[in-house]
Amino acid sequence: MKKLRNVAIIAHVDHGKTTLVDQILKQCEIFRKNQIVRERFLDSNELERERGITILAKNISIPYKDYKINLIDTPGHADFGGEVERVLKMADGVLLLVDSFEGPMPQTRFVLEKALALHLKPIVVINKIDRPDNRPNEVLNEIFDLFIDLGADENQLEFPIIYASGREGWATKNLNEKPKNLIPLLDSIIKDIPPPQHQSGTLQIQITTLDYNDYVGRIGIGRVFRGTLNKNNNLSIIKRNGLIHSVTIKQIFVFEGITRIEVDEVQCGDICAIVGIDDVDIGDTIADTLNPEPLPIISIDEPTISMTFTVNNSPFYGKEGKYVTSRQIKERLYKELEHNVALDVQETNSPDSFKVSGRGILHLSILIESMRREGFELQIREPKVIYKEIDGRKAEPIEILVVDVPSAYAGKVIELVGQRKGELIKMENKGSLNKLEFHIPSRGIMGLRTKILTATSGEAVMHHRFYQYEYFKGSIGKTRNGVMISIGDGPATAYAIDSLQDRGKFFIEPGEMVYSGQIVGEHSKENDIEVNVQRGKKLTNMRASGSDKAIKIIPPIKFSLEEALEYIEDDEMVEVTPKSIRLRKVYLDPHERKKFNLGKTK
């Protein structure tokens, strides 16, 4: 058996994990053997490639000298914390990647905290050293401070430091030397990451990731913590709820480069994929039938945000999607629960709606986006934070919000966050930017990004992550203007939009089909108004000079799915279909809307 190293790569979103892994694969000639030419190889999911973020953890292995390095690419966003926690259990050490200009960010803190709690050995990689505005020495001091903040022990504080450029494909321990390739990084993994401890005794494997294949069904991926796995042995599965039953394994695969190869036996410490157990779930232990001992259950952070998913009942129902019934939506949500352990789905009193809870708006919007691409049509009510009771008092989730903004706009950002019950915790200079750190209720973050980008001419960069539950901070005032609602069905006309432009900003273009009750724009005042966007110009045979002025239409505001979800209020919904994202009122009929609003004021 080759000597083993199990290492996870952790970093904030966009600090260069996936690009660095690409370069390692190229330099170890794995791409050439498999004839791969694609950039960002590990971002295999279409959504990951579009957004430039890692959503699902991936496993590959790198042959180097006479070692096999199992490399685990982890998500960088706190909304996918359920994914990070599980896969870190497979590793003995971590590569902590930090941008040489940005330094440690909220997500860096989040993933590092998980790694230190599991007593993993860190190697710090200061990446993107080729940036013209790099500041490696300051960033290194910030990393030391972060380790001390998180209570790292003496062994963890003596971390090796590598300076690297993932894009250029080099790493070095000394910035004064001319770097050539990534060998110093690979050498450091072998020297500084401890090998897996060989534990003798009966078999124990914990399933930390699930894969699915149409031909073989569910595939459980996990690490052999004790003993040796042989597919001919008598094995049992210990479920999360403690139930035990015997299982038969059909195939075992280990990771070899970017592919999987079938084997009959897996040694202690290696990571493998198991085929043939139909009811395998994340957190299950596979053990010897004669001595079935469970491993500690993987703890998963609780959801903080919930949304109600309902069947699409708009006038455009069924025009763009394949799957539109509540039965199909229910089946899809329960299928997602099998591998998305940080998700929770509950049935509501209405047969057509489901309460779906997750780690944040991004976590849930990725699920919605995946569903619409698969051909689903559904409607989503506004996100609600999940309250708890602590010592008999109402408590709500608080997030750490970090905003990097040019100094001239810092005051404006502090004012906007303050209006939403945010408290400024820290303020420091980072080159020409100010780094502002706040504690803010999760409620206050919804819709804040748009406001901050408008106030800072698009120059602010925002990141946030869950911090803790604290006592309720009090009500937040109305944060948005009213909306313009269509009173008719049919295509919007340029003439009508042009004549209504002084009333507010539009979300639709001329010629777009709209229905009565659909939100077509934002009003410039606080109240909602109903508008006729189907009105055409009356044609007469009279000509008057100057009356036929050229129509000039301002380009409409187009929402991404997350922006739309953050924008809506409690009497509104987002209608999601494979081709469109529309905003609408819950009650399309104006009389029902009036009744609902009267009920609210009472």
Short mmCIF file of all heavy atoms in Angstrom, two decimals, residues 452-481:
data_model
loop_
_atom_site.label_atom_id
_atom_site.label_comp_id
_atom_site.label_asym_id
_atom_site.label_seq_id
_atom_site.Cartn_x
_atom_site.Cartn_y
_atom_site.Cartn_z
N ILE A 452 -26.72 48.85 -0.28
CA ILE A 452 -25.31 49.21 -0.09
C ILE A 452 -24.64 49.45 -1.45
O ILE A 452 -23.86 50.39 -1.62
CB ILE A 452 -24.58 48.13 0.75
CG1 ILE A 452 -24.96 48.31 2.22
CG2 ILE A 452 -23.07 48.19 0.57
CD1 ILE A 452 -24.26 47.41 3.19
N LEU A 453 -24.93 48.60 -2.42
CA LEU A 453 -24.33 48.77 -3.76
C LEU A 453 -24.76 50.10 -4.38
O LEU A 453 -23.97 50.80 -5.00
CB LEU A 453 -24.70 47.60 -4.68
CG LEU A 453 -24.00 46.28 -4.36
CD1 LEU A 453 -24.52 45.16 -5.24
CD2 LEU A 453 -22.49 46.39 -4.53
N THR A 454 -26.05 50.47 -4.18
CA THR A 454 -26.53 51.75 -4.72
C THR A 454 -25.81 52.92 -4.04
O THR A 454 -25.34 53.84 -4.69
CB THR A 454 -28.06 51.87 -4.50
OG1 THR A 454 -28.67 50.69 -4.99
CG2 THR A 454 -28.63 53.07 -5.21
N ALA A 455 -25.71 52.83 -2.70
CA ALA A 455 -25.11 53.94 -1.93
C ALA A 455 -23.61 54.10 -2.21
O ALA A 455 -23.06 55.18 -2.05
CB ALA A 455 -25.34 53.71 -0.45
N THR A 456 -22.93 53.00 -2.62
CA THR A 456 -21.47 53.07 -2.81
C THR A 456 -21.09 53.01 -4.29
O THR A 456 -19.94 52.69 -4.61
CB THR A 456 -20.78 51.91 -2.07
OG1 THR A 456 -21.26 50.68 -2.63
CG2 THR A 456 -21.07 51.91 -0.59
N SER A 457 -22.04 53.30 -5.17
CA SER A 457 -21.82 53.24 -6.64
C SER A 457 -21.24 51.89 -7.06
O SER A 457 -20.37 51.81 -7.93
CB SER A 457 -20.86 54.36 -7.08
OG SER A 457 -21.31 55.59 -6.61
N GLY A 458 -21.70 50.84 -6.40
CA GLY A 458 -21.29 49.48 -6.79
C GLY A 458 -19.91 49.06 -6.33
O GLY A 458 -19.39 48.03 -6.75
N GLU A 459 -19.27 49.85 -5.45
CA GLU A 459 -17.87 49.56 -5.10
C GLU A 459 -17.70 48.73 -3.82
O GLU A 459 -16.59 48.34 -3.47
CB GLU A 459 -17.09 50.88 -4.95
CG GLU A 459 -16.92 51.59 -6.29
CD GLU A 459 -15.72 52.51 -6.29
OE1 GLU A 459 -14.67 52.11 -5.79
OE2 GLU A 459 -15.86 53.65 -6.80
N ALA A 460 -18.79 48.49 -3.10
CA ALA A 460 -18.68 47.74 -1.84
C ALA A 460 -18.66 46.24 -2.11
O ALA A 460 -19.27 45.77 -3.06
CB ALA A 460 -19.86 48.09 -0.93
N VAL A 461 -17.94 45.49 -1.28
CA VAL A 461 -17.94 44.03 -1.34
C VAL A 461 -18.44 43.53 0.02
O VAL A 461 -17.87 43.87 1.05
CB VAL A 461 -16.52 43.47 -1.63
CG1 VAL A 461 -16.56 41.95 -1.67
CG2 VAL A 461 -15.99 44.02 -2.94
N MET A 462 -19.52 42.72 -0.01
CA MET A 462 -20.17 42.28 1.23
C MET A 462 -20.02 40.78 1.43
O MET A 462 -20.15 40.03 0.47
CB MET A 462 -21.67 42.55 1.10
CG MET A 462 -22.20 43.72 1.84
SD MET A 462 -23.97 43.88 1.49
CE MET A 462 -24.67 42.65 2.57
N HIS A 463 -19.75 40.36 2.66
CA HIS A 463 -19.75 38.94 3.00
C HIS A 463 -20.38 38.80 4.37
O HIS A 463 -20.16 39.65 5.24
CB HIS A 463 -18.32 38.37 3.07
CG HIS A 463 -17.61 38.39 1.76
ND1 HIS A 463 -17.90 37.50 0.76
CD2 HIS A 463 -16.64 39.20 1.29
CE1 HIS A 463 -17.13 37.76 -0.28
NE2 HIS A 463 -16.35 38.79 0.02
N HIS A 464 -21.14 37.73 4.56
CA HIS A 464 -21.71 37.53 5.91
C HIS A 464 -21.77 36.05 6.22
O HIS A 464 -21.78 35.20 5.33
CB HIS A 464 -23.09 38.18 6.03
CG HIS A 464 -24.09 37.69 5.02
ND1 HIS A 464 -24.91 36.63 5.26
CD2 HIS A 464 -24.36 38.10 3.76
CE1 HIS A 464 -25.67 36.42 4.20
NE2 HIS A 464 -25.36 37.28 3.27
N ARG A 465 -21.80 35.74 7.51
CA ARG A 465 -21.94 34.34 7.95
C ARG A 465 -22.64 34.32 9.30
O ARG A 465 -22.59 35.30 10.06
CB ARG A 465 -20.58 33.64 8.04
CG ARG A 465 -19.73 34.09 9.21
CD ARG A 465 -18.53 33.19 9.42
NE ARG A 465 -17.84 33.53 10.66
CZ ARG A 465 -18.11 32.98 11.84
NH1 ARG A 465 -19.07 32.09 11.96
NH2 ARG A 465 -17.44 33.33 12.92
N PHE A 466 -23.27 33.20 9.60
CA PHE A 466 -23.99 33.06 10.87
C PHE A 466 -23.00 33.16 12.04
O PHE A 466 -21.91 32.60 11.99
CB PHE A 466 -24.71 31.70 10.89
CG PHE A 466 -25.35 31.39 12.20
CD1 PHE A 466 -26.48 32.08 12.61
CD2 PHE A 466 -24.82 30.42 13.04
CE1 PHE A 466 -27.08 31.80 13.83
CE2 PHE A 466 -25.40 30.13 14.26
CZ PHE A 466 -26.54 30.83 14.66
N TYR A 467 -23.40 33.87 13.08
CA TYR A 467 -22.53 34.05 14.25
C TYR A 467 -23.12 33.28 15.45
O TYR A 467 -22.54 32.31 15.90
CB TYR A 467 -22.39 35.55 14.54
CG TYR A 467 -21.66 35.90 15.81
CD1 TYR A 467 -20.40 35.36 16.09
CD2 TYR A 467 -22.22 36.78 16.74
CE1 TYR A 467 -19.73 35.68 17.25
CE2 TYR A 467 -21.56 37.11 17.91
CZ TYR A 467 -20.31 36.55 18.17
OH TYR A 467 -19.66 36.87 19.33
N GLN A 468 -24.28 33.72 15.94
CA GLN A 468 -24.91 33.03 17.07
C GLN A 468 -26.33 33.56 17.24
O GLN A 468 -26.73 34.53 16.61
CB GLN A 468 -24.11 33.26 18.35
CG GLN A 468 -24.06 34.72 18.78
CD GLN A 468 -23.19 34.95 20.01
OE1 GLN A 468 -22.32 34.16 20.31
NE2 GLN A 468 -23.42 36.04 20.71
N TYR A 469 -27.07 32.90 18.13
CA TYR A 469 -28.41 33.42 18.48
C TYR A 469 -28.26 34.41 19.63
O TYR A 469 -27.51 34.17 20.57
CB TYR A 469 -29.33 32.27 18.90
CG TYR A 469 -30.09 31.66 17.73
CD1 TYR A 469 -29.53 30.67 16.93
CD2 TYR A 469 -31.38 32.10 17.42
CE1 TYR A 469 -30.23 30.13 15.86
CE2 TYR A 469 -32.08 31.57 16.35
CZ TYR A 469 -31.51 30.59 15.57
OH TYR A 469 -32.21 30.08 14.51
N GLU A 470 -28.98 35.54 19.51
CA GLU A 470 -28.99 36.54 20.60
C GLU A 470 -30.43 36.98 20.81
O GLU A 470 -31.29 36.76 19.95
CB GLU A 470 -28.12 37.75 20.21
CG GLU A 470 -26.63 37.44 20.23
CD GLU A 470 -25.77 38.67 19.87
OE1 GLU A 470 -26.32 39.79 19.81
OE2 GLU A 470 -24.56 38.49 19.64
N TYR A 471 -30.67 37.66 21.95
CA TYR A 471 -32.03 38.12 22.23
C TYR A 471 -32.52 39.05 21.12
O TYR A 471 -31.73 39.79 20.51
CB TYR A 471 -32.10 38.84 23.58
CG TYR A 471 -31.84 37.92 24.75
CD1 TYR A 471 -30.92 38.24 25.74
CD2 TYR A 471 -32.52 36.69 24.84
CE1 TYR A 471 -30.68 37.37 26.80
CE2 TYR A 471 -32.28 35.83 25.90
CZ TYR A 471 -31.37 36.17 26.87
OH TYR A 471 -31.12 35.31 27.91
N PHE A 472 -33.83 39.02 20.87
CA PHE A 472 -34.46 39.79 19.79
C PHE A 472 -34.08 41.27 19.89
O PHE A 472 -34.13 41.86 20.97
CB PHE A 472 -35.98 39.61 19.91
CG PHE A 472 -36.76 40.23 18.79
CD1 PHE A 472 -36.65 39.73 17.50
CD2 PHE A 472 -37.60 41.30 19.01
CE1 PHE A 472 -37.37 40.29 16.45
CE2 PHE A 472 -38.33 41.87 17.98
CZ PHE A 472 -38.22 41.36 16.70
N LYS A 473 -33.69 41.84 18.76
CA LYS A 473 -33.15 43.22 18.77
C LYS A 473 -34.22 44.29 18.56
O LYS A 473 -33.89 45.47 18.45
CB LYS A 473 -32.11 43.38 17.65
CG LYS A 473 -30.92 42.44 17.74
CD LYS A 473 -29.99 42.85 18.83
CE LYS A 473 -28.77 41.94 18.90
NZ LYS A 473 -27.98 42.14 20.08
N GLY A 474 -35.48 43.90 18.43
CA GLY A 474 -36.54 44.90 18.19
C GLY A 474 -36.87 45.00 16.71
O GLY A 474 -36.18 44.46 15.86
N SER A 475 -37.97 45.70 16.43
CA SER A 475 -38.45 45.73 15.03
C SER A 475 -37.57 46.62 14.17
O SER A 475 -36.97 47.59 14.64
CB SER A 475 -39.90 46.22 14.99
OG SER A 475 -39.95 47.54 15.46
N ILE A 476 -37.48 46.25 12.89
CA ILE A 476 -36.73 47.04 11.90
C ILE A 476 -37.77 47.74 11.03
O ILE A 476 -38.73 47.10 10.57
CB ILE A 476 -35.82 46.12 11.04
CG1 ILE A 476 -34.73 45.50 11.93
CG2 ILE A 476 -35.20 46.87 9.88
CD1 ILE A 476 -33.90 44.43 11.25
N GLY A 477 -37.60 49.03 10.83
CA GLY A 477 -38.59 49.80 10.05
C GLY A 477 -38.69 49.30 8.61
O GLY A 477 -37.87 48.52 8.14
N LYS A 478 -39.71 49.80 7.91
CA LYS A 478 -39.91 49.41 6.49
C LYS A 478 -38.67 49.80 5.71
O LYS A 478 -38.20 50.93 5.79
CB LYS A 478 -41.16 50.11 5.95
CG LYS A 478 -41.59 49.62 4.57
CD LYS A 478 -42.93 50.25 4.20
CE LYS A 478 -43.23 50.16 2.73
NZ LYS A 478 -43.55 48.86 2.21
N THR A 479 -38.15 48.86 4.94
CA THR A 479 -36.85 49.11 4.31
C THR A 479 -36.94 49.31 2.81
O THR A 479 -35.95 49.41 2.14
CB THR A 479 -35.91 47.91 4.57
OG1 THR A 479 -36.57 46.71 4.12
CG2 THR A 479 -35.59 47.77 6.04
N ARG A 480 -38.18 49.36 2.30
CA ARG A 480 -38.31 49.40 0.85
C ARG A 480 -39.54 50.20 0.46
O ARG A 480 -40.51 50.28 1.21
CB ARG A 480 -38.41 47.95 0.41
CG ARG A 480 -38.70 47.69 -0.99
CD ARG A 480 -39.31 46.33 -1.28
NE ARG A 480 -40.73 46.46 -1.48
CZ ARG A 480 -41.52 45.44 -1.79
NH1 ARG A 480 -41.03 44.24 -1.90
NH2 ARG A 480 -42.81 45.63 -1.95
N ASN A 481 -39.54 50.77 -0.73
CA ASN A 481 -40.72 51.49 -1.23
C ASN A 481 -41.82 50.52 -1.63
O ASN A 481 -41.60 49.30 -1.67
CB ASN A 481 -40.33 52.34 -2.46
CG ASN A 481 -39.50 53.55 -2.05
OD1 ASN A 481 -39.42 53.88 -0.88
ND2 ASN A 481 -38.89 54.20 -3.01
#
